[in-house]
């Protein structure tokens, strides 16, 4: 049977949307005649990103609970009831063979209604500290695909399958030589290059750090490939020089990774999974402004295996130069970090997740 119907939900951030789209793409590759429907939150980025990826999406009137008492919180019970009723109607009409949730608020009502209708459910948790929606759904899910060890803290052990996170392999397969890659960015291949990644929008604290340390980098004879994000490009492009390239967005991530000797990055689940595949020494600066501080937990999971360095935002002024200098002075530490982070790569994650979904079709 090729006319399977798959319903997927994941959103709020790219970290939830991208895995859902990657899973759908792999299912579509295996079952070209299958039908797909995404369900998201009406005012979130999935309503734009999912159609761009070629899939239909329906929106629910749902949002998360704010940490302080607000009018939005008073609306939450009404939004939840509305979303559960709408999700039930969607499930009834679409009749999916499997429901897949990758986190985000909209996946809660959808998977709850799918499960209560007897539809097999698969969860995919990207982070080392599980999100609230997946924790609430775990008891009724058939399988839970994770990227980290010790996830039985959050989920029933017998349901957990360690698959890794879906990765944009086309972006991270480092096929180009360092010479080609540095030439692409107008750099000298004989000099060491620091790649700075703050996400597509940018990370204010990382940008402030890099601006402050530019002279320090130059004195060490380093080149800086600085992806500052589109929100900050106007502010920082004045620092562009022969040894500093300031980009709003990196269109050729494969070449950026090939050019890099050391990488400074946020610690979102997708970034961490990609950087494991790249296998270069990384300094993670986790964002403290995310749910359950999951970026810090993601980075700690690598630090525990001697696979990365982590600096919290409040440590940067006191610690950055010392920790960075120690790393750059020691080829042995650079090699160890690169080797250990590479060991944690799971490049076939998407296929393994889909293998588990396929088992439920049988």
């Amino acid at each position: 049977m090729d006319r399977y119907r798959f319903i997927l939900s994941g959103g709020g951030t790219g970290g939830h949307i991208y895995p859902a789209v990657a899973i759908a793409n792999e299912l579509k590759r295996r079952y070209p005649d299958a039908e797909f429907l995404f369900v998201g939150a009406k005012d979130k980025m999935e309503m734009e990103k999912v159609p761009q990826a070629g899939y239909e999406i329906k929106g629910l009137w749902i949002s998360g609970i704010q940490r302080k008492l607000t009018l939005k919180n008073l609306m939450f019970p009404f939004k939840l009831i509305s979303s559960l009723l709408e999700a039930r109607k969607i499930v009834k009409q679409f009749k999916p063979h499997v429901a897949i949730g990758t986190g985000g608020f909209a996946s809660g009502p959808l998977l709850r209604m799918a499960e209560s209708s007897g539809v097999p459910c698969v969860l995919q948790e990207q982070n080392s500290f599980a999100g609230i929606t997946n924790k609430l759904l775990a008891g009724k899910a058939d399988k839970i695909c994770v990227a980290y060890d010790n996830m039985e803290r959050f989920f029933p052990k017998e349901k957990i399958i360690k698959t890794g996170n879906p990765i944009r392999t086309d972006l991270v397969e480092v096929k180009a030589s360092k010479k080609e890659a540095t030439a692409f960015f107008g750099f000298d291949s004989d000099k060491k290059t620091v790649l700075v990644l703050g996400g597509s929008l940018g990370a204010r604290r990382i940008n402030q750090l890099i601006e402050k340390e530019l002279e320090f980098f130059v004195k060490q004879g380093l080149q800086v490939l600085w992806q500052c994000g589109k929100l900050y490009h106007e502010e920082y492009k004045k620092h562009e020089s022969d040894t500093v390239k300031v980009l709003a967005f990196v269109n050729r991530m494969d070449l950026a990774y090939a050019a890099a000797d050391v990488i400074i990055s946020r610690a979102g689940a997708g970034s961490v999974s990609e950087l494991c595949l790249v296998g270069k020494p990384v300094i993670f600066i986790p964002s403290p402004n995310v749910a359950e501080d999951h970026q810090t937990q993601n980075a700690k999971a690598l630090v525990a295996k001697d696979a990365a360095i982590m600096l919290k935002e409040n440590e940067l002024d006191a610690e950055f130069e010392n920790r960075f200098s120690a790393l750059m002075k020691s080829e042995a530490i650079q090699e160890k970090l690169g080797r250990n982070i590479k060991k944690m790569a799971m490049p076939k994650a998407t296929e393994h997740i889909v293998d588990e979904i396929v088992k439920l079709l049988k």
Side-chain angles (χ1 to χ4, degrees):
M1 177 178 176
D2 217 12
R3 297 289 298 183
Y4 289 118
R5 291 178 298 280
F6 299 101
I7 199 162
L8 302 99
S9 184
T13 67
H16 295 312
I17 299 163
Y18 174 73
V21 170
I23 290 164
N25 288 344
E26 176 62 16
L27 282 165
K28 195 174 187 176
R29 190 185 69 76
R30 297 192 197 189
Y31 303 106
D33 294 328
E35 291 177 53
F36 295 87
L37 179 63
F38 280 70
V39 176
K42 272 183 178 169
D43 58 346
K44 295 295 185 182
M45 64 192 285
E46 56 265 30
M47 302 307 292
E48 179 190 343
K49 297 292 181 190
V50 169
Q52 282 174 2
Y55 295 102
E56 184 188 350
I57 186 166
K58 293 192 173 182
L60 304 178
W61 185 44
I62 189 74
S63 61
I65 299 175
Q66 309 294 308
R67 292 183 187 192
K68 50 186 184 285
L69 188 64
T70 65
L71 186 61
K72 280 186 176 178
N73 277 355
L74 297 176
M75 294 297 292
F76 181 76
F78 302 101
K79 289 184 175 185
L80 182 61
I81 291 162
S82 160
S83 296
L84 286 164
L85 293 172
E86 183 63 21
R88 184 168 69 182
K89 191 169 93 178
I90 290 168
V91 170
K92 211 171 177 182
Q93 287 173 347
F94 188 67
K95 296 184 175 67
H97 291 92
V98 181
I100 300 134
T102 59
F105 300 112
S107 67
L110 178 79
L111 270 82
R112 181 73 192 83
M113 288 296 107
E115 165 271 312
S116 68
S117 304
V119 178
C121 294
V122 176
L123 301 180
Q124 197 262 327
E125 175 55 60
Q126 298 92 42
N127 294 296
S128 67
F129 194 95
I132 189 164
T133 306
N134 279 349
K135 282 193 277 190
L136 290 171
L137 292 168
K140 302 285 187 181
D142 291 83
K143 299 183 179 200
I144 304 165
C145 297
V146 303
Y148 291 91
D149 296 325
N150 306 317
M151 295 304 283
E152 56 276 6
R153 292 177 293 159
F154 310 108
F155 303 132
K157 193 174 182 177
E158 67 280 5
K159 297 182 180 187
I160 295 172
I161 300 121
K162 189 178 174 188
T163 56
N165 286 322
I167 296 166
R168 299 171 293 178
T169 47
D170 56 318
L171 298 189
V172 297
E173 284 178 347
V174 183
K175 290 175 181 165
S177 68
K178 167 139 185 168
K179 196 165 186 176
E180 280 175 78
T182 47
F184 179 83
F185 294 107
F187 280 156
D188 180 344
S189 62
D190 293 327
K191 286 186 174 180
K192 294 243 178 187
T193 302
V194 181
L195 171 63
V196 182
L197 301 171
S200 55
L201 296 178
R204 176 174 289 283
R205 187 64 189 92
I206 291 180
N207 286 336
Q208 289 170 340
L209 170 78
I210 300 307
E211 182 178 48
K212 174 175 165 271
E213 301 295 351
L214 280 178
E215 203 176 316
F216 167 73
F217 291 136
V218 171
K219 278 182 182 167
Q220 298 210 9
L222 300 169
Q223 301 169 134
V224 183
L225 184 56
W226 179 7
Q227 184 259 311
C228 65
K230 63 182 181 183
L231 294 182
Y232 301 101
H233 190 241
E234 281 302 310
E235 187 180 346
Y236 292 110
K237 66 182 183 183
K238 64 188 177 197
H239 295 296
E240 184 94 19
S241 71
D242 288 348
T243 57
V244 179
K245 302 294 176 223
V246 185
L247 306 172
F249 188 76
V250 181
N251 289 315
R252 289 295 305 272
M253 279 309 302
D254 58 330
L255 293 177
Y257 286 137
D261 294 284
V262 172
I263 299 165
I264 296 170
S265 174
R266 283 299 199 203
S271 300
V272 172
S273 295
E274 281 186 15
L275 290 168
C276 287
L277 204 61
V278 172
K280 301 266 176 101
V282 182
I283 297 174
F284 285 114
I285 302 172
S287 169
N289 310 311
V290 291
E292 287 114 358
D293 197 19
H294 66 247
Q295 288 203 9
T296 300
Q297 305 302 325
N298 292 346
K300 278 182 174 175
L302 273 76
V303 171
K305 298 200 172 181
D306 249 355
I309 292 167
M310 180 182 83
L311 281 168
K312 292 185 177 181
E313 285 193 353
N314 60 13
E315 297 172 332
L316 292 175
D317 289 336
E319 299 271 335
F320 179 79
E321 289 190 9
N322 289 337
R323 299 288 297 276
F324 185 85
S325 295
L327 173 63
M328 296 312 293
K329 282 174 187 164
S330 174
E331 293 285 342
I333 294 173
Q334 290 172 43
E335 282 172 24
K336 179 185 72 176
L337 293 177
R339 187 172 62 247
N340 288 347
I341 199 170
K342 187 90 172 171
K343 283 180 193 167
M344 298 180 76
M346 302 183 79
K348 301 283 186 189
T350 312
E351 293 98 302
H352 292 158
I353 292 163
V354 170
D355 289 343
E356 296 302 325
I357 293 166
V358 168
K359 287 175 193 172
L360 295 174
L361 297 173
K362 305 280 166 40

